[in-house]
Amino acid sequence: ASYAAVMPAFLARVGPNMADRLLVPVDGVLVSQVADTFGAPRAGNRVHEGVDIFAPRGTVVRAAAPGFVYRIDAVSLGAVSATVVGDGGVRYLYSHFEAVPENLQEGQRVETNTVIGYVGNSGNAATTPTHLHFGVYLGDEDDLCAWRAIDPLPLLVDRE
């Protein structure tokens, strides 16, 4: 609820249209190496609301699109996570970090070269290989704070 109260301030700072391409957020990983796990069944009668990008522990994770850090927390199923609000009000969720950089702060502007975390397996991924969970969420017209997941894989492009 506290984050919903600040959402209008974030939306006022981003552009109106969602990015049409997103850079693979994990250093050294190509799109061809990312399996489409969006919608796969998960424990608790849930479905997977993103893609898992596997990499060694501590691999650098950078913002897939520019935006502002909306929140840094460990509430998303216990995982160390960061959420960035980008153009069009899209939320990018980066989760299961080993850690986030000490200088990363809520409200901070990030670009696609900004380090926002390091690959790990925190939270409910503790028994899995290290990876980044990358989710992309849209708001609804009547509820800008809604979390409607879309498959990020078709939007991903390799970093150059």
Side-chain angles (χ1 to χ4, degrees), residues 39-49 77 124-125 127-128:
R42 291 294 187 260
N45 206 24
R46 299 176 299 114
V47 295
H48 196 228
E49 293 186 346
L77 298 172
N124 70 337
T127 61
T128 70

Side-chain angles (χ1 to χ4, degrees), residues 126-137:
T127 61
T128 70
T130 55
H131 66 280
L132 171 73
H133 168 86
F134 180 57
V136 177
Y137 297 85

Side-chain angles (χ1 to χ4, degrees), residues 14-150:
V14 297
N17 300 314
M18 176 181 163
D20 59 356
R21 67 183 196 114
L22 305 172
L23 297 179
V24 174
V26 179
D27 277 8
V29 175
L30 302 173
V31 173
S32 62
Q33 298 171 303
V34 180
D36 191 357
T37 56
F38 183 82
R42 291 294 187 260
N45 206 24
R46 299 176 299 114
V47 295
H48 196 228
E49 293 186 346
V51 294
D52 290 335
I53 304 173
F54 292 88
R57 183 176 309 281
T59 302
V60 168
V61 176
R62 300 176 192 277
F68 292 89
V69 178
Y70 178 59
R71 69 183 183 193
I72 301 169
D73 61 25
V75 298
S76 179
L77 298 172
V80 177
S81 304
T83 304
V84 172
V85 176
D87 290 345
V90 177
R91 264 73 35 90
Y92 302 103
L93 173 65
Y94 306 83
S95 193
H96 302 308
F97 286 144
E98 177 74 13
V100 295
E102 287 184 24
N103 63 344
L104 190 71
Q105 298 178 17
E106 291 180 356
Q108 173 183 337
R109 171 89 181 164
V110 295
E111 302 296 337
T112 57
N113 62 346
T114 305
V115 176
I116 59 169
Y118 304 94
V119 170
N121 61 341
S122 61
N124 70 337
T127 61
T128 70
T130 55
H131 66 280
L132 171 73
H133 168 86
F134 180 57
V136 177
Y137 297 85
L138 306 176
D140 291 327
E141 201 165 307
D142 61 338
D143 181 5
L144 297 175
C145 293
W147 288 76
R148 186 167 41 90
I150 64 168

